[in-house]
Amino acid sequence: NKTALTYISEYKKKNINKDLALRIYTTHLLGKNPKLVLHGGGNSSVKSQGKNLYNKNVSLIYVKGSGWDMSNLNEDGMPGLELDPLLETKKLNKLNDIDMVNYLRSNLINSNSPNPSVETLLHAYLPFKFVDHTHSNAFLSILNQPNSQAIIKKIFGKKIGIVPYIMPGFSLAKKINQVYSKNPNINCLILLNHGIFTFDNDAKKSYDLMIKY
């Protein structure tokens, strides 16, 4: 649409690519909907390409920074990290929060960036270009019920993966990777007592899935 094209052209003036421009646009759309994003919470990411110091192509991931509001962030609120080192962490059995944050910071492409979201590894592990995450009111009213799994299956059927409650961090990322690997046909993950993730290789489709669900 027109607004998306405006974002692309405005961010191009700042030397920011289309991927990140679209990511900022759909993040604003999510963040400005109070039914989806409680108090600026939730996060989003996009996987893209860039050049390193040696002018070699590298895979990057831009993730919402901790403390930034989805409704009005700019490129500073979407810190970029090298993706491949993050994917290497799948081999680990344990990673505590302090070491994880330190590792994430050591892979930032700009050392002045804010801390990336505590859910960065989760975003990295999902093999899609765009990943959206909200704490929707409607979902939480279901996810906090004692029989939430049965309700979710009844309402949504097979395109949804259900993940038990785990504190955000490495353990949750590993669990989500496990759930997704068992059923790669899903396009949505429901995290009990927490929220919803949707994902696609197209910014609009990932956003549309969030609205649909």
Side-chain angles (χ1 to χ4, degrees):
N1 66 23
K2 267 187 192 169
T3 315
L5 293 172
T6 304
Y7 270 75
I8 291 165
S9 64
E10 286 302 308
Y11 277 97
K12 193 176 181 182
K13 292 172 191 169
K14 300 188 193 180
N15 208 21
I16 286 164
N17 69 18
K18 178 182 173 182
D19 290 344
L20 187 50
L22 285 174
R23 175 69 286 175
I24 291 168
Y25 171 48
T26 53
T27 299
H28 286 170
L29 288 179
L30 293 170
K32 285 174 180 169
N33 185 338
K35 289 181 181 174
L36 285 178
V37 178
L38 309 181
H39 320 299
N43 45 57
S44 59
S45 68
V46 61
K47 297 176 182 76
S48 191
Q49 293 289 314
K51 300 269 189 195
N52 68 9
L53 201 58
Y54 308 101
N55 211 30
K56 292 258 167 64
N57 284 327
V58 286
S59 296
L60 302 174
I61 181 169
Y62 294 91
V63 188
K64 188 186 88 82
S66 290
W68 285 73
D69 190 316
M70 291 176 82
S71 68
N72 60 13
L73 56 71
N74 58 16
E75 69 278 11
D76 295 333
M78 294 292 298
L81 304 94
E82 283 208 34
L83 179 59
D84 290 341
L86 306 190
L87 297 178
E88 285 289 307
T89 61
K90 284 184 192 178
K91 297 172 184 170
L92 298 172
N93 292 319
K94 283 184 185 168
L95 183 61
N96 68 50
D97 286 353
I98 293 168
D99 289 343
M100 180 184 74
V101 171
N102 192 43
Y103 188 71
L104 293 176
R105 285 210 65 82
S106 71
N107 284 290
L108 286 168
I109 54 176
N110 177 352
S111 64
N112 294 322
S113 292
N115 279 349
S117 164
V118 70
E119 289 167 323
T120 295
L121 292 178
L122 193 167
H123 283 265
Y125 292 175
L126 284 168
F128 292 87
K129 191 174 182 72
F130 292 90
V131 178
D132 295 333
H133 172 44
T134 70
H135 308 138
S136 142
N137 278 338
F139 260 105
L140 289 170
S141 68
I142 298 169
L143 302 183
N144 295 336
Q145 299 295 326
N147 60 336
S148 56
Q149 294 215 31
I151 302 172
I152 291 160
K153 283 174 182 166
K154 189 175 176 183
I155 299 173
F156 298 106
K158 293 178 180 170
K159 292 298 275 185
I160 274 188
I162 301 173
V163 183
Y165 181 76
I166 299 171
M167 278 280 286
F170 177 68
S171 299
L172 178 59
K174 286 275 277 194
K175 185 67 182 174
I176 279 188
N177 186 52
Q178 185 188 358
V179 171
Y180 174 77
S181 301
K182 280 183 187 167
N183 186 4
N185 296 318
I186 57 175
N187 56 21
C188 174
L189 285 160
I190 299 295
L191 282 58
L192 299 181
N193 308 108
H194 181 153
I196 166 177
F197 278 84
T198 56
F199 30 87
D200 197 276
N201 290 322
D202 177 89
K204 185 177 187 302
K205 285 179 184 169
S206 187
Y207 170 79
D208 285 346
L209 282 169
M210 182 65 74
I211 301 304
K212 174 187 148 184
Y213 283 123

